[in-house]
């Protein structure tokens, strides 16, 4: 399964266009534009699984900086500041990674 099986390619493209400039990435806005905020919990879990590049059950800082590239190969890498802000917001237990407990962060409802 790929992200385009769950999200519209045109919505993904619009979300990526919105955050092309360094330090312009807003997770909340990205999730809204891409359509992630409207997905069911099971769809979000599948998106999370796809984003978990090493399939460890967690999204670590290393993976998170390449977040946009999981949506499109040519997308930019998140800046250090964007990565740290994103991680801090979704890392509910402070272990330095996003696990299943952070899945609700992806919903933004």
């Amino acid at each position: 399964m790929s992200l385009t099986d769950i999200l519209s390619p045109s919505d993904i493209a619009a979300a990526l266009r919105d955050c092309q400039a360094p330090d312009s990435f807003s997770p909340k806005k990205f999730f809204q534009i891409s359509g992630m905020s409207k997905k069911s919990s099971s769809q979000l879990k599948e998106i999370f699984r796809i984003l978990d590049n090493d399939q460890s059950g967690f999204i670590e800082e290393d993976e998170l900086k390449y977040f946009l590239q999981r949506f499109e190969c040519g997308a930019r890498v998140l800046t250090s500041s964007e990565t740290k802000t994103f991680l801090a917001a979704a890392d509910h237990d402070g272990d330095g990674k996003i696990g299943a407990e952070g899945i609700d962060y992806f919903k933004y409802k």
Side-chain angles (χ1 to χ4, degrees):
M1 181 169 283
S2 74
L3 289 169
T4 56
D5 292 329
I6 303 168
L7 301 171
S8 155
S10 61
D11 288 346
I12 291 171
L16 290 169
R17 272 192 310 274
D18 184 70
C19 62
Q20 284 180 339
D23 294 316
S24 66
F25 176 74
S26 162
K28 183 174 183 177
K29 193 171 182 185
F30 186 88
F31 300 146
Q32 290 170 342
I33 295 171
S34 71
M36 286 172 48
S37 62
K38 298 175 187 165
K39 298 302 173 186
S40 69
S41 291
S42 63
Q43 289 171 312
L44 287 172
K45 286 178 184 174
E46 184 60 25
I47 291 169
F48 184 88
R49 189 194 63 72
I50 293 167
L51 295 173
D52 178 12
N53 196 39
D54 64 4
Q55 298 300 298
S56 66
F58 299 96
I59 298 175
E60 296 90 1
E61 190 170 347
D62 274 12
E63 292 169 308
L64 200 55
K65 70 180 176 181
Y66 297 105
F67 177 81
L68 298 177
Q69 291 183 349
R70 301 296 291 158
F71 291 87
E72 181 180 279
C73 291
R76 72 178 180 87
V77 174
L78 293 179
T79 66
S80 178
S81 174
E82 289 170 322
T83 303
K84 289 183 187 320
T85 300
F86 192 176
L87 182 61
D91 177 14
H92 296 291
D93 62 5
D95 64 358
K97 52 192 173 185
I98 303 168
E101 79 282 352
I103 196 68
D104 289 336
Y105 179 76
F106 287 88
K107 205 160 192 166
Y108 265 113
K109 285 191 173 182

